[in-house]
Amino acid sequence: MTNKKNLKKKKITLFLIGVSMFFAFQSCGTKIKSDAIKPSLVDKNATEITFNLYNKLELIAKTGFAIGHQDATSYGIGWRHENNLSIIKSDVQEVVGDFPAVYGFDIGHIELAQEKNLDGVPFNDMRNLIIDAYKNGGIITISWHLDNPVSLGDSWDPTPAVSEIIKGGKNREKYELWVQRVANFLNTLQINGEKIPVIFRPFHEMNGSWFWWGEGNCTASNYIKLWQETVQLLKDKHNLHHIIYAYSPNKLNPTDDYLKYYPGDEYVDILGIDIYDFNNSEAYSNAITHDLNIVKKIATEKKKLFAFTETGLEKIPTHKWFTEVLYPTIENSGISWVLLWRNHTTSHHYMPFKGHTSENDFIEFEKLPKTFFLKDLQKLKN
Ligand code: BMA
């Protein structure tokens, strides 16, 4: 008991340090406007609240890391969101009494102008859930499992397509329409006329060969062109200025170069990495330590933030996985957030839910000093 209380106290102390730092820089420059504290983003015309989001992530990383969950409020085990904003559920909330700090969403199939994303989440509900999460102080990150523009198969259809959608490619026009649909959706994420800042993480895990934009299915130089041209379309053609761009390769194989597909400092704001535990905690921890060291070194040189953009152990069969595997491995890593993947079914989920065997371990994880959930972030708000 005493131990738990001490931990909670420590968490509060860390916050107080964070909050005083926050107010310190808020008071010396009026609201993040001073050049000294304005981060250098891909979008030089990013809105003030977008710069603020980046600063908030930086502040979080100084004392801990935000806990994220993919599709946290869209569905969980045994339930789906029912378009009623007075009932916002989350498996995380049911277990620990608090929502995650980072909310992951995926806009796969927005490019096809469909009503629902690839996992059956209606885009109208997604928009409402994003607005609600942001209103409550949550951080939004969006991935895009888009279909293959050439074969019309899904993201996992490796038919080469990148060379056909970059400038000069046969399917360029179609791709520009797809990006326009992305822009249209992102543009509708607004509160009182102000657009909600979003961390966009397209074309992830490109060093693996499972997506059509991945290793072996396109060249690195074409991948880079696709990324750069996509950013240009969103930022310069569609005038989106509420986007922070995150690059996230998958776990590095021994010969992988983290920067092989890197689109350049002018096109990336946050460096990420996706690493899953395939039922081997030791290999998993070693991979995180090894890869995050590399990401941290590069991010520090580039003066950019970094994050653990996807992770999890499917079904969480390992005893005390959160407190004894994940936490000690990332405790001193310097990441801004860690995003656990979705809770789809009892055989495909990465967060515990009420009644799951790791429920108590996750309750302990929430109490640890560096894990920031939604209420912790709310204390950071000025
Ligand atoms: C994958 C799996 C798929 C899902 C996709 C996009 O990792 O969870 O079932 O469709 O993410 O959410």
Side-chain angles (χ1 to χ4, degrees), residues 26 95 162 302 327 361:
Q26 288 283 310
V95 172
V162 174
K302 296 185 177 302
Y327 190 81
D361 184 52

Side-chain angles (χ1 to χ4, degrees), residues 111-257:
E111 72 280 2
L112 307 176
Q114 290 190 0
E115 270 173 33
K116 294 179 177 177
N117 85 345
L118 77 163
D119 299 318
V121 179
F123 286 108
N124 280 337
D125 289 356
M126 192 185 291
R127 175 185 308 106
N128 289 336
L129 291 171
I130 288 173
I131 294 170
D132 185 79
Y134 182 75
K135 262 189 196 157
N136 286 304
I139 293 167
I140 313 299
T141 177
I142 293 183
S143 48
W144 185 23
H145 283 84
L146 66 165
D147 274 5
N148 186 311
V150 170
S151 66
L152 295 183
D154 60 23
S155 295
W156 294 267
D157 178 335
T159 307
V162 174
S163 61
E164 296 204 15
I165 58 174
I166 54 179
K167 273 184 198 156
K170 278 211 296 280
N171 276 294
R172 176 66 179 185
E173 218 174 298
K174 180 198 280 181
Y175 184 65
E176 289 206 13
L177 174 64
W178 285 14
V179 175
Q180 184 179 341
R181 288 173 174 156
V182 169
N184 290 347
F185 179 75
L186 295 175
N187 252 325
T188 64
L189 307 176
Q190 300 190 10
I191 294 184
N192 302 329
E194 187 154 38
K195 287 173 197 162
I196 295 172
V198 159
I199 301 159
F200 188 41
R201 191 173 66 90
F203 305 121
H204 61 303
E205 299 173 6
M206 75 308 287
N207 55 330
S209 54
W210 44 92
F211 294 131
W212 55 261
W213 57 84
E215 175 92 17
N217 307 324
C218 70
T219 63
S221 78
N222 281 347
Y223 175 92
I224 289 168
K225 279 186 195 149
L226 174 63
W227 181 291
Q228 295 180 342
E229 292 173 9
T230 305
V231 170
Q232 283 158 359
L233 286 170
L234 293 174
K235 176 168 68 75
D236 305 328
K237 180 172 176 199
H238 299 295
N239 288 308
L240 299 192
H241 299 297
H242 58 301
I243 313 293
I244 286 176
Y245 297 90
Y247 166 75
S248 68
N250 195 60
K251 178 175 100 64
L252 303 175
N253 290 310
T255 56
D256 280 0
D257 168 9

Side-chain angles (χ1 to χ4, degrees), residues 70-71 75 106 117-119 143 145 156 211 276 310 341-342 344 348 350:
Q70 183 72 5
D71 288 340
Y75 54 80
D106 195 283
N117 85 345
L118 77 163
D119 299 318
S143 48
H145 283 84
W156 294 267
F211 294 131
Y276 282 84
E310 265 187 52
W341 204 241
R342 67 198 195 109
H344 178 223
H348 185 53
Y350 296 87

Side-chain angles (χ1 to χ4, degrees), residues 355-372:
H356 185 269
T357 48
S358 57
E359 200 180 341
N360 285 333
D361 184 52
F362 195 68
I363 291 172
E364 293 308 311
F365 179 75
E366 189 276 334
K367 291 176 187 156
L368 291 171
K370 293 195 173 176
T371 57
F372 295 174

